[in-house]
Amino acid sequence: MIQRPFFNFSKPRFDYELFTKALPQLVPVPQPKFVTLLIDSPLGNRDPKFIKVGDSVKTGQRLLLAENDTAAAVSTVTGKIDAFSEFAGNYGKMFTAITIAVSGSEETDDQFAQLGGDLSMADLSAFLSTAPGRPPFELLMDPEKTIETIVIYGGDTDVLIGTNQYALKTRTGELQKGISALKKASGIENVILAVPGESFQSYDAHFNADVRNVPAEYPYAGSQMILHHLLQKPAADGKAPEDHGVCFMRAEAVISIGRAVADKRIPLEKLVTIVAKNGEQKIVSAKIGTLMGDVLNAVNITVDDGDRIILGGPMTGFAIYTETHPIEPDTDAIMIQDASDISFSSDYPCINCGDCIRICPANISVNMLVRFLEAGQYDDAVNLYDLYSCVDCGLCSYVCVSRIPILQYIKLAKHELSRISEAEETNV
Amino acid sequence: MFKQKKFIVSHAPFWHIGSGIPERNYNMIIAALPAVLMGFTVFGIPAVGVIALSVAFAVLWELAVNYVSKRPYTVADGHAIYIGLIFGMVMPATVPWWLILVGTFLAIVIGKEIFGGIGSNPFNAVALAYAILLVSWGIHLDFNAKLANYTFDFPAAYPIAALQAFGPSATEPFSLLGMFMGQQVGGIGSVCGIAIVLGGVYLILRGFIRWEISVSFVVGVFVTAFLFNVYNPAVYGAPLFHLVTGYTLIGAFFLATDDGSSPVNFIPMLIYGALGGVLTVLIRNIGSYVDGVFFAILLINVVNPVLDKIRPKALGKVA
Ligand code: SF4
Ligand code: SF4
């Protein structure tokens, strides 16, 4: 953590993790006894005749809660279903968690292997939607969106995380194959590989994609920044990139596609950056569904009462409350923070010091914005003080003298506004 | 599976740079102390009494407001101490105790708390209090009238008052360097320019005040005074004289820079500071008040919200 230096004439700067010196050693996490898979569908959707406790599942088998349910998970182990439970995600979104007790022998479901020829979007979506990196096929297949450009992001979304950088640097061949398969299946020719820092300039020829550099300084490689600076789209209208015809994908997601095509096998292992209490990073590979506790055991990290476990990085991650939280297809990092390093927010008002303005990469008058957000005046926050320009980087909260949870206010406001507009859309 | 432990769950970001309001206020207090100590050496024990009373009353008023409004006690954050200290620094050493009581009430209760406390004050609390006192009990703030019993080893007249009453020729006995070093009549903590500048530079380097405001304020005073002086040197004082006398420097580094009542965007800060400097000299040279700093600061406080609308375009905004 960068602390305020004694002389504070210039603003702090963070860079993305680029592994410029040496790549870390990959640590494999051993096969766990239980895995928990999340399905993006509420528990109430389960048809007890269709799937129940005690059912055997094979590695690579698609699991659905009911025959016609749309959301699926792919089992990463062979074993028996041990339990179903409700799982609350962010903002109260409900998932179903399926816990599978792993059995000794490994059997692979061969449905995916039997798909012949070039894979279609529907094939990819059915089997690889929960593959490592979580490829966003639903966006590419959404009839209401016309995606013209796919941006593969070869960096990570937060500081200290090296997952995608590691994948990009070690799995170049699979990335190439993935890009080709993706182009063929989606019919989208305009594929950009955005890489932070200078290191990949010369790779253009090898990739079937337009390789572009994006800044190594956080948060200038975030999706809104890329939309704005690289693709010159006006980004500040509160819409998602896909509404501007752009689909963002992690490099790891494209690598998953490449691996699946090459091996005729669904990839099961997620790369995860583990950031220990002292800031040291390790890259592990763990089966999706492995519980946090098992992952941490594999790298000999213990967490105690009062510590914090963060999914993601220090600026934008989410704190979780239990070690039984599973690795999800998009869990790029686990960060452990010692109880003594945790700083709390305060209930002081903004003192108008201006530190947030100097650091905000989106030129927002955060001091004014936060006054409107605290008062719940979200429309004015959008119209007068540029709420939708915010790229959710969290730098304002990081520097705030009053320790106001600014980013939290911002996310809440955006969430509320999107709920309102959704409600309006369904009402017409 | 795993023994359930209690983890800390909160929202991103999980890092904080480590700054805080108490640290900020205590550093501002530290930065003001050299000027206060110089004031003690010039004005002696009465000055110590004034400063002590100012700080004590300011803290008591804040406690009282916290108590009455049933809010958490905020005295420990140092802001009331700071306001009390600055209030004492602009007072003459002879000011009666009840004026301090009233003045700190005006600063803490009227200047800060009724607007919602720290950060929400539209006016600099000390400037507001001083202006009200000046209008109501101006005689107690008149240095020439009140410091008559003192014997100094430098000219015992308030320099700007001398300038206004008798023109630049009357300022000849004052040595610029001497005044900058504290050899002049004035507010307890306002007389020693060098101590104020040192404190200000410390605050700027540590990022506790915004240099744009202080620098443009000083430049505004200098340039305006220079123009007047060139126009008619027989009537208007020299620019450096304006800089080192009265409340110019304490205004530039400790009053105009107040967080709540000043702008935060770059260009607005420059305009705000420069305007303050210009107004200071205008009031001194053609207005009827002896020193224009407090009124100038209140005026720029008024335009601050409008000024701060000048800001760069946010990301993705075209129009
Ligand atoms: S999170 Fe804060 S600093 Fe980052 S873009 Fe949004 S307002 Fe600016
Ligand atoms: S950093 Fe915090 S206290 Fe300072 S202006 Fe921004 S929101 Fe206000």
Side-chain angles (χ1 to χ4, degrees):
Chain A
M1 166 161 33
I2 301 185
Q3 286 285 350
R4 192 170 201 280
F6 187 79
F7 291 116
N8 196 41
F9 206 56
S10 61
K11 60 182 186 180
R13 172 193 160 121
F14 295 97
D15 283 328
Y16 293 103
E17 182 59 61
L18 296 180
F19 294 135
T20 35
K21 293 202 191 79
L23 279 178
Q25 191 73 36
L26 186 68
V27 183
V29 176
Q31 171 100 303
K33 292 203 175 60
F34 290 91
V35 298
T36 299
L37 303 171
L38 300 182
I39 296 191
D40 185 2
S41 180
L43 185 57
N45 284 2
R46 183 172 78 95
D47 174 359
K49 282 190 226 91
F50 183 75
I51 186 167
K52 55 188 178 302
V53 170
D55 284 359
S56 303
V57 292
K58 293 184 197 164
T59 306
Q61 183 181 332
R62 286 186 82 211
L63 302 176
L64 294 140
L65 291 184
E67 192 154 11
N68 295 321
D69 206 15
T70 44
V74 170
S75 178
T76 52
V77 291
T78 306
K80 280 193 167 38
I81 296 184
D82 187 60
F84 295 95
S85 56
E86 284 196 312
F87 188 93
N90 288 314
Y91 297 111
K93 189 167 165 41
M94 294 312 289
F95 295 84
T96 301
I98 304 183
T99 302
I100 300 169
V102 181
S103 65
S105 58
E106 177 99 0
E107 268 184 82
T108 308
D109 184 281
D110 58 359
Q111 276 190 57
F112 180 73
Q114 281 170 3
L115 299 170
D118 286 342
L119 296 178
S120 70
M121 263 335 254
D123 299 335
L124 290 176
S125 163
F127 288 95
L128 297 179
S129 282
T130 55
R134 202 191 286 281
F137 297 118
E138 71 283 0
L139 298 179
L140 295 171
M141 293 171 66
D142 187 340
E144 284 178 15
K145 315 233 188 294
T146 34
I147 304 289
E148 290 151 5
T149 311
I150 297 177
V151 178
I152 302 170
Y153 182 40
D156 291 271
T157 49
D158 203 335
V159 294
L160 288 187
I161 307 182
T163 302
N164 273 288
Q165 268 291 299
Y166 184 88
L168 182 74
K169 290 192 167 163
T170 54
R171 298 175 179 178
T172 318
E174 284 133 333
L175 182 60
Q176 268 169 283
K177 289 197 188 95
I179 294 175
S180 305
L182 187 63
K183 278 189 170 179
K184 226 178 261 165
S186 66
I188 297 168
E189 273 306 304
N190 198 0
V191 177
I192 294 174
L193 176 61
V195 183
E198 303 294 319
S199 52
F200 259 67
Q201 243 155 8
S202 53
Y203 278 65
D204 208 340
H206 305 278
F207 290 112
N208 196 357
D210 181 4
V211 182
R212 304 274 197 93
N213 273 300
V214 287
E217 182 183 356
Y218 179 81
Y220 289 92
S223 58
Q224 276 208 56
M225 288 290 184
I226 292 182
L227 259 192
H228 187 73
H229 292 300
L230 202 64
L231 306 176
Q232 260 99 43
K233 303 252 182 205
D237 53 4
K239 291 198 181 132
E242 52 272 21
D243 296 310
H244 292 287
V246 182
C247 174
F248 281 85
M249 268 191 208
R250 289 177 173 78
E252 197 186 11
V254 183
I255 289 167
S256 288
I257 300 174
R259 295 193 130 183
V261 171
D263 305 351
K264 293 258 168 219
R265 205 174 65 83
I266 302 174
L268 310 168
E269 263 129 19
K270 175 81 183 89
L271 292 173
V272 183
T273 307
I274 311 279
V275 183
K277 287 181 181 178
N278 61 4
E280 205 183 300
Q281 296 138 305
K282 292 201 166 79
I283 305 273
V284 302
S285 106
K287 284 204 164 162
I288 290 172
T290 309
L291 306 182
M292 286 312 142
D294 289 325
V295 176
L296 295 176
N297 280 343
V299 284
N300 294 324
I301 291 181
T302 45
V303 270
D304 302 309
D305 278 341
D307 292 349
R308 186 150 57 187
I309 307 183
I310 299 157
L311 289 190
M315 288 295 168
T316 57
F318 288 94
I320 55 171
Y321 58 87
T322 164
E323 284 177 278
T324 56
H325 197 110
I327 299 281
E328 296 177 60
D330 52 4
T331 304
D332 285 334
I334 306 170
M335 176 172 165
I336 311 296
Q337 215 173 17
D338 191 73
S340 62
D341 290 333
I342 294 177
S343 58
F344 293 93
S345 51
S346 84
D347 53 4
Y348 257 81
C350 167
I351 62 161
N352 211 43
C353 68
D355 284 354
C356 49
I357 295 192
R358 277 185 286 282
I359 205 165
C360 175
N363 283 338
I364 296 173
S365 286
V366 189
N367 63 330
M368 295 305 293
L369 178 65
V370 76
R371 286 173 163 77
F372 284 86
L373 296 180
E374 280 180 328
Q377 298 175 354
Y378 296 151
D379 286 331
D380 286 341
V382 172
N383 298 329
L384 303 176
Y385 287 103
D386 312 311
L387 175 65
Y388 284 148
S389 294
C390 168
V391 302
D392 297 341
C393 67
L395 287 172
C396 48
S397 302
Y398 166 74
V399 298
C400 180
V401 175
S402 290
R403 307 199 176 194
I404 303 173
I406 309 174
L407 179 63
Q408 184 69 1
Y409 278 124
I410 289 174
K411 289 197 162 172
L412 179 65
K414 288 182 175 173
H415 175 69
E416 288 296 324
L417 287 166
S418 75
R419 274 185 29 182
I420 293 170
S421 67
E422 264 171 36
E424 278 169 358
E425 272 167 29
T426 42
N427 279 348
V428 235
Chain B
M1 248 177 274
F2 300 101
K3 184 177 147 284
Q4 180 61 49
K5 300 168 193 155
K6 290 200 173 61
F7 299 123
I8 303 288
V9 181
S10 64
H11 36 69
F14 302 101
W15 279 352
H16 191 272
I17 195 165
S19 59
I21 291 178
E23 177 210 24
R24 196 176 176 87
N25 287 329
Y26 288 117
N27 270 290
M28 299 216 254
I29 292 168
I30 290 170
L33 283 182
V36 174
L37 294 178
M38 287 306 289
F40 290 168
T41 66
V42 174
F43 300 105
I45 292 300
V48 179
V50 169
I51 295 286
L53 271 187
S54 300
V55 171
F57 284 153
V59 168
L60 287 176
W61 283 123
E62 177 138 316
L63 274 177
V65 172
N66 290 159
Y67 179 76
V68 170
S69 60
K70 300 200 174 64
R71 305 273 301 159
Y73 291 103
T74 50
V75 174
D77 69 15
H79 197 238
I81 303 175
Y82 176 68
I83 292 186
L85 187 67
I86 300 289
F87 179 82
M89 287 168 74
V90 301
M91 288 290 116
T94 52
V95 70
W97 66 269
W98 57 268
L99 204 75
I100 303 176
L101 188 68
V102 175
T104 47
F105 170 82
L106 293 170
I108 296 286
V109 182
I110 308 293
K112 170 184 165 191
E113 292 294 348
I114 61 171
F115 292 108
I118 188 168
S120 308
N121 51 311
F123 298 104
N124 178 289
V126 173
L128 185 75
Y130 185 93
I132 298 176
L133 292 183
L134 186 65
V135 174
S136 316
W137 293 282
I139 184 70
H140 289 293
L141 303 178
D142 182 329
F143 295 108
N144 286 342
K146 286 295 159 183
L147 295 178
N149 309 339
Y150 269 90
T151 38
F152 298 111
D153 45 8
F154 49 84
Y158 190 38
I160 323 185
L163 170 70
Q164 275 192 352
F166 311 109
S169 55
T171 65
E172 268 157 30
F174 300 102
S175 129
L176 276 181
L177 186 65
M179 289 193 290
F180 189 54
M181 305 301 284
Q183 310 252 302
Q184 61 172 317
V185 169
I188 295 167
S190 322
V191 287
C192 182
I194 183 153
I196 296 173
V197 172
L198 276 181
V201 168
Y202 169 81
L203 289 178
I204 286 173
L205 287 179
R206 295 216 48 197
F208 293 122
I209 61 173
R210 309 194 267 280
W211 66 268
E212 295 89 338
I213 295 175
S214 302
V215 169
S216 56
F217 193 98
V218 168
V219 170
V221 168
F222 187 89
V223 170
T224 320
F226 175 78
L227 292 178
F228 270 102
N229 188 249
V230 168
Y231 173 70
N232 191 344
V235 177
Y236 301 114
L240 281 179
F241 183 83
H242 277 284
L243 274 187
V244 298
T245 55
Y247 296 114
T248 308
L249 290 174
I250 194 170
F253 290 101
F254 288 91
L255 298 175
T257 52
D258 170 49
D259 283 320
S261 53
S262 62
V264 285
N265 287 301
F266 181 67
I267 293 175
M269 286 194 280
L270 295 182
I271 302 177
Y272 169 93
L275 194 63
V278 171
L279 286 171
T280 296
V281 179
L282 282 183
I283 298 174
R284 279 182 184 178
N285 280 354
I286 48 188
S288 60
Y289 282 101
V290 174
D291 197 349
V293 170
F294 292 100
F295 294 104
I297 286 176
L298 292 176
L299 284 171
I300 53 177
N301 287 167
V302 172
V303 291
N304 156 42
V306 184
L307 281 181
D308 224 9
K309 288 206 163 37
I310 307 172
R311 56 200 162 101
K313 287 277 159 273
L315 181 83
K317 291 274 162 144
V318 259

